[in-house]
């Protein structure tokens, strides 16, 4: 696979950085938002040539029962949203886990731009 392209992030978004990272099969282009549980990125799926939103959560410590429940909730959220089809609900394309983070990819046409 070819190396990902560099995508500068506009300074106005508050996350002034250049993304060059791959997460699983996805190219991470820019940070859309950060919260206590994780980060949402604008991403790109090079296999099917489409823009996606990628939601990640921090990997919990294996000993932290509460964090393990949050991880299970993240997976259930992706499963539940993946079964829904409505114009006002962001569609889920994929769920997976990498060594870095559990990830879910969402239809970016309804995600914040």
């Amino acid at each position: 696979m070819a190396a990902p392209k560099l995508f500068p992030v506009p300074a106005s978004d508050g996350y002034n950085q250049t993304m060059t990272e791959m997460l699983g099969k996805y190219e991470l282009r820019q940070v859309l938002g950060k919260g206590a549980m994780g980060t949402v990125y604008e991403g790109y799926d090079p296999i099917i040539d489409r823009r996606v939103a990628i939601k990640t959560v921090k990997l919990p410590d294996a000993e932290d029962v509460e964090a393990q429940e949050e991880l299970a909730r993240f997976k259930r959220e992706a499963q539940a949203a993946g079964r829904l089809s409505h114009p006002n609900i962001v569609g889920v394309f994929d769920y997976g886990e990498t060594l870095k983070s559990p990830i879910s990819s969402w239809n970016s046409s309804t995600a914040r731009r």
Side-chain angles (χ1 to χ4, degrees), residues 6-19 29-31:
L6 299 177
F7 296 93
V9 178
S12 62
D13 74 356
Y15 299 103
N16 190 14
Q17 57 184 310
T18 299
M19 303 297 297
R29 293 193 167 177
Q30 67 178 324
V31 174

Side-chain angles (χ1 to χ4, degrees), residues 13 15 30-34 39-43 51-54 111-113:
D13 74 356
Y15 299 103
Q30 67 178 324
V31 174
L32 297 177
K34 289 185 179 184
T39 305
V40 177
Y41 299 91
E42 176 188 339
R51 187 172 165 252
V52 295
I54 299 170
R112 181 176 78 104
R113 293 184 191 254

Side-chain angles (χ1 to χ4, degrees), residues 11 52 94 107:
V52 295
D94 191 14
N107 178 351

Side-chain angles (χ1 to χ4, degrees), residues 7-109:
F7 296 93
V9 178
S12 62
D13 74 356
Y15 299 103
N16 190 14
Q17 57 184 310
T18 299
M19 303 297 297
T20 60
E21 193 171 347
M22 296 292 290
L23 185 60
K25 67 179 182 177
Y26 301 103
E27 292 177 13
L28 302 181
R29 293 193 167 177
Q30 67 178 324
V31 174
L32 297 177
K34 289 185 179 184
M37 258 185 92
T39 305
V40 177
Y41 299 91
E42 176 188 339
Y44 177 71
D45 183 339
I47 296 170
I48 54 177
D49 189 30
R50 78 172 153 197
R51 187 172 165 252
V52 295
I54 299 170
K55 185 175 184 179
T56 66
V57 295
K58 299 171 187 157
L59 280 175
D61 180 11
E63 321 274 303
D64 187 341
V65 176
E66 187 176 319
Q68 290 293 333
E69 176 53 36
E70 288 176 4
L71 178 59
R73 190 172 343 142
F74 178 72
K75 185 175 184 179
R76 287 191 307 269
E77 174 189 82
Q79 290 170 329
R83 289 189 291 268
L84 301 174
S85 177
H86 188 278
N88 294 329
I89 298 174
V90 177
V92 176
F93 293 139
D94 191 14
Y95 173 86
E97 296 180 19
T98 69
L99 294 176
K100 290 179 138 188
S101 173
I103 61 173
S104 62
S105 68
W106 303 68
N107 178 351
S108 69
S109 65

